[in-house]
Amino acid sequence: MKKILFLFFLGTQLLLAQNKRFIYQYTYVPDSTNITSALTELMYLDITDQKSLFYSQNKYAEDSTSIAEAKKGQFYIPNANVFYRVEKIKDKVFFLTSDYGVENLRVEDNRRMMWNILPDKKSIGEYKAQKAVTDFGGRKWIAWFTVDIPLQDGPYKFAGLPGLIIKIEDATQNHSYQLVGVRSIDHQTQYPALNSGTKELVLNQKDFNKLFKRYRNDPASSIKQLYIQGKLPDHTDTSGKFRTGAEIVREVEQLVKERLKKDNNIIEIDLLK
């Protein structure tokens, strides 16, 4: 028995010592008035001994493209659906994004999730999992975690259970994350630094709630301000089409308004109240 326990401990230490990428399939319904509008996105949870970083595979690629195009003097209009990243450092949770009219935004979320671990157990893929529930962001969440992977982490801001959360969905099944793959990574993820010369705006959750509401009321205010300041010159875009700064403003404003109109079923639904 001692030998078995030692081998389990050694295996756990090896797992924790390695840099791991947990790949989740995120399925969500952005528009509550159209249940057929469900989208899927691959999300990465990169865990090292220093921290974890949760982000969209597609947004990572688009941010890399944006930086490359900017170096060539081109303006790239992204088409990603998931704009945020979530960074967890010890017991702190940070929400990071370049959305909401702010180029570099970091929000410290000090809310604590109160989990109720239930006796229900089942197998999910190759893992034995146990059920837990919590209320967060205006939704009731049902999670399945596994002690086979003894990491107290999970997708989005979810964490704090005795093992890795391998599946979690809200009670309406409008938002769901499920683990679909695991791989080792060489080092801590270096996320593409958009607007690296811009000072990061750090907010607490209360101030972010105010900023969020202002943004929903006027989502194009920041790009309008850039145009007024002369920071959005006329130029030829990546497709070779010449556009004026005013045309870019109108296009971006239309795109953002259309996206927000259909984005009425966000994860933290209480932000819309």
Side-chain angles (χ1 to χ4, degrees):
M1 176 62 73
K2 288 183 178 179
K3 184 176 181 181
I4 293 174
L5 288 174
F6 173 76
L7 289 174
F8 174 78
F9 175 77
L10 179 61
T12 298
Q13 291 301 103
L14 288 173
L15 175 65
L16 293 174
Q18 294 175 349
N19 298 330
K20 290 290 186 181
R21 171 170 292 163
F22 298 94
I23 305 168
Y24 291 84
Q25 178 170 289
Y26 176 33
T27 303
Y28 59 106
V29 179
D31 185 356
S32 62
T33 65
N34 181 11
I35 59 173
T36 64
S37 67
L39 300 174
T40 60
E41 185 105 6
L42 282 182
M43 306 291 294
Y44 290 164
L45 175 64
D46 291 354
I47 299 181
T48 69
D49 58 350
Q50 300 291 326
K51 66 176 183 179
S52 72
L53 183 66
F54 184 70
Y55 58 98
S56 158
Q57 177 198 53
N58 187 40
K59 185 65 167 64
Y60 179 95
E62 286 208 341
D63 284 356
S64 299
T65 300
S66 293
I67 291 172
E69 293 300 326
K71 290 179 180 178
K72 295 185 291 186
Q74 304 287 353
F75 183 76
Y76 177 77
I77 298 178
N79 192 38
N81 293 309
V82 177
F83 289 85
Y84 63 80
R85 287 169 282 145
V86 175
E87 184 180 82
K88 304 186 188 92
I89 304 175
K90 294 184 178 179
D91 61 342
K92 293 184 179 295
V93 177
F94 299 95
F95 178 84
L96 302 98
T97 188
S98 56
D99 201 6
Y100 310 115
V102 179
E103 292 180 334
N104 284 314
L105 177 63
R106 173 181 288 264
V107 182
E108 181 175 355
D109 191 340
N110 57 9
R111 292 172 292 175
R112 292 292 176 262
M113 294 183 190
M114 304 300 294
W115 290 102
N116 182 18
I117 298 177
L118 303 176
D120 311 55
K121 296 182 179 181
K122 68 177 181 179
S123 293
I124 298 178
E126 61 184 285
Y127 302 106
K128 295 178 181 178
Q130 187 168 351
K131 188 177 183 180
V133 296
T134 192
D135 292 312
F136 181 75
R139 296 181 185 273
K140 179 178 180 180
W141 295 90
I142 301 96
W144 293 89
F145 68 94
T146 179
V147 295
D148 295 343
I149 306 176
L151 297 169
Q152 297 183 20
D153 210 333
Y156 193 56
K157 299 178 181 179
F158 300 106
L161 286 168
L164 184 75
I165 297 171
I166 58 176
K167 181 176 181 180
I168 186 167
E169 64 183 358
D170 75 305
T172 65
Q173 298 183 322
N174 282 176
H175 293 267
S176 174
Y177 298 95
Q178 180 154 348
L179 185 69
V180 294
V182 183
R183 68 177 64 157
S184 295
I185 53 178
D186 294 334
H187 49 73
Q188 190 176 98
T189 303
Q190 297 298 315
Y191 198 89
L194 286 176
N195 310 308
S196 57
T198 304
K199 186 177 179 180
E200 189 174 61
L201 176 62
V202 181
L203 298 177
N204 58 34
Q205 189 64 37
K206 183 178 179 180
D207 288 336
F208 170 70
N209 293 353
K210 296 176 182 177
L211 181 146
F212 179 86
K213 293 183 187 303
R214 288 198 302 269
Y215 172 77
R216 297 289 290 207
N217 290 331
D218 187 8
S221 62
S222 60
I223 195 166
K224 290 176 185 175
Q225 191 63 31
L226 287 176
Y227 177 67
I228 292 171
Q229 294 172 354
K231 296 180 180 180
L232 195 63
D234 305 343
H235 69 275
T236 302
D237 66 17
T238 54
S239 66
K241 180 182 177 181
F242 177 81
R243 291 184 301 170
T244 66
E247 288 174 330
I248 294 172
V249 170
R250 287 195 295 270
E251 182 176 346
V252 171
E253 183 172 24
Q254 182 179 357
L255 285 172
V256 175
K257 285 184 175 180
E258 288 178 357
R259 177 171 67 87
L260 292 182
K261 184 177 180 181
K262 298 176 182 178
D263 188 31
N264 54 57
N265 194 26
I266 61 178
I267 296 179
E268 296 184 38
I269 195 69
D270 55 357
L271 283 169
L272 296 178
K273 294 180 180 178

